[in-house]
């Protein structure tokens, strides 16, 4: 029996959008947030491990992805709105607070949820995306600008989604080319391609980037007070999209942070090193040392 057969699929109506998620396990709530170009299946290695460790695990398709609603305007994907979705989701699941874990764009949403809705976040974990203040610092350097060229390409109208759609699975293989051999099977890539090529999905995914860069970053960082949640940053150091120097969050904004670097993992750290990532997450979410 595959993971797709074991998990329970549900939807929740948050008013503005309906989100699809999968659920497994019982215990303290852990919300898993995927990034680009994935969906809940990004956490296929972590869902059973965390459920077995005694957590109620919810891996959500964020707005624009998978089985969730796909608003048509780029303005509907502002980071504050995305964080609001997660705060509302936690409440809709009948919980006051949850552990929040994110990778890539999901980590950006996790950072912002802990900032804007601290009452909803117990422990925080971010995988291979830095705190927003550190990210904006990085984008002022030539080195990071060169790595992030695609973010600016995605600002063009219609062309990025057209090229990505035509590229199909081949485009996905290019995104994952730095992952460890075997980290993604042909079946995995087919699932990602099917989800991303669904009507409206490609444009929605790229609209996340449009919403991020079509505003003054000072408006975002200006809202950011300290995150009091215990925070774990897991960083695959072979990340070709983000410089390893970005991993350390600002101490004044994240005073309770621990950074664990995995030198042999790429940006796709939870796929490259699933057992190590699972161990670190379980220890962190249980309140132990993640060293």
């Amino acid at each position: 029996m595959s993971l797709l057969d074991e998990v329970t699929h549900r939807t929740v109506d948050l008013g503005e959008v309906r989100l699809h998620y999968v659920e497994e396990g019982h215990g303290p709530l852990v919300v898993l947030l995927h990034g680009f170009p994935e969906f809940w299946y990004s956490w296929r290695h972590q869902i059973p491990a965390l459920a077995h460790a005694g957590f109620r695990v919810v891996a959500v398709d964020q707005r624009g992805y998978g089985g969730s609603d796909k608003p048509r305007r780029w303005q509907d994907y502002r980071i504050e709105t995305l964080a609001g979705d997660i705060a509302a989701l936690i409440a809709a699941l009948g919980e006051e607070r949850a552990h929040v874990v994110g990778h890539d764009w999901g980590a950006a949403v996790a950072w912002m949820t802990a900032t804007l809705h601290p009452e909803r976040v117990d422990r925080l974990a971010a995988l291979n995306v830095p705190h927003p203040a550190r990210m904006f610092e990085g984008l002022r350097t030539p080195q990071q600008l060169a790595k992030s060229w695609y973010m600016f390409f995605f600002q063009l109208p219609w062309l990025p989604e057209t090229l990505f759609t035509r590229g199909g699975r081949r485009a996905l293989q290019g995104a994952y080319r730095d992952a460890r051999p075997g980290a993604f099977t042909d079946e995995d890539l087919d699932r990602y391609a099917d989800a991303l090529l669904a009507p409206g999905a490609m444009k929605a995914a790229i609209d996340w980037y449009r919403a991020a860069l079509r505003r003054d970053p000072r408006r975002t960082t200006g809202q950011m007070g300290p995150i009091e949640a215990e925070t774990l940053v897991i960083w695959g150091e072979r990340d070709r999209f983000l410089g390893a120097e970005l991993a350390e969050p600002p101490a004044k904004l994240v005073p309770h942070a621990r950074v664990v670097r995995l030198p042999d993992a790429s940006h796709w750290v939870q796929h490259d090193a699933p057992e190590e990532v699972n161990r670190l997450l379980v220890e962190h979410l249980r309140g132990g040392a993640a060293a």
Side-chain angles (χ1 to χ4, degrees):
M1 181 177 291
S2 72
L3 174 62
L4 290 176
D5 298 317
E6 296 174 358
V7 297
T8 300
H9 292 257
R10 304 185 190 277
T11 59
V12 58
D13 190 341
L14 301 181
E16 183 179 335
V17 292
R18 288 172 57 86
L19 299 184
H20 166 263
Y21 64 93
V22 302
E23 182 173 1
E24 186 177 354
H26 304 278
L29 177 61
V30 179
V31 176
L32 303 177
L33 305 177
H34 66 84
F36 176 89
E38 303 187 296
F39 65 114
W40 73 262
Y41 190 71
S42 171
W43 301 106
R44 60 193 175 278
H45 301 298
Q46 285 68 51
I47 293 170
L50 291 172
H52 181 74
F55 295 100
R56 177 190 180 190
V57 186
V58 166
V60 62
D61 288 338
Q62 298 199 75
R63 65 164 67 195
Y65 284 91
S68 293
D69 285 350
K70 300 168 179 61
R72 300 184 64 179
R73 305 182 314 148
W74 66 262
Q75 293 92 336
D76 293 316
Y77 297 94
R78 291 190 173 105
I79 192 70
E80 297 88 349
T81 301
L82 301 168
D85 285 348
I86 305 312
L89 171 67
I90 294 168
L93 293 172
E95 301 289 347
E96 291 291 328
R97 299 167 66 82
H99 304 307
V100 179
V101 179
H103 169 253
D104 188 79
W105 265 113
V109 175
W111 286 118
M112 191 58 70
T113 304
T115 298
L116 299 182
H117 306 278
E119 74 283 358
R120 293 294 183 194
V121 179
D122 191 349
R123 285 177 173 256
L124 174 67
L127 282 60
N128 272 80
V129 153
H131 185 278
R134 190 70 79 211
M135 184 68 196
F136 292 134
E137 289 176 6
L139 286 174
R140 291 197 291 266
T141 67
Q143 295 85 353
Q144 187 55 51
L145 283 171
K147 291 176 179 287
S148 299
W149 66 268
Y150 62 93
M151 296 179 64
F152 301 93
F153 171 67
F154 285 170
Q155 301 307 306
L156 296 174
W158 65 263
L159 182 60
E161 48 263 51
T162 300
L163 293 178
F164 229 111
T165 299
R166 289 178 178 174
R169 179 175 156 178
R170 184 180 303 173
L172 284 176
Q173 289 175 318
Y176 295 128
R177 69 175 183 268
D178 59 329
R180 283 182 180 174
F184 297 92
T185 66
D186 288 344
E187 179 184 6
D188 295 334
L189 294 176
D190 285 341
R191 294 192 187 282
Y192 286 133
D194 289 345
L196 202 58
L197 296 176
M202 188 68 72
K203 179 182 182 300
I206 293 174
D207 276 346
W208 281 54
Y209 291 90
R210 293 177 174 133
L213 294 190
R214 293 181 184 181
R215 63 175 298 164
D216 185 342
R218 290 171 295 185
R219 290 186 59 193
T220 299
T221 55
Q223 300 178 53
M224 306 202 76
I227 292 174
E228 295 301 330
E230 296 287 338
T231 301
L232 172 66
V233 177
I234 302 175
W235 199 275
E237 292 202 301
R238 291 195 301 105
D239 193 322
R240 66 186 172 94
F241 304 107
L242 296 163
E245 70 279 1
L246 302 179
E248 296 283 345
K252 67 178 182 179
L253 292 178
V254 195
H256 309 294
R258 180 189 296 268
V259 179
V260 179
R261 298 174 182 270
L262 302 185
D264 297 325
S266 70
H267 180 76
W268 314 105
V269 61
Q270 78 270 34
H271 307 286
D272 283 348
E275 292 183 2
E276 182 70 1
V277 168
N278 293 348
R279 180 186 70 81
L280 291 167
L281 288 176
V282 169
E283 290 178 350
H284 174 63
L285 299 181
R286 283 178 170 171

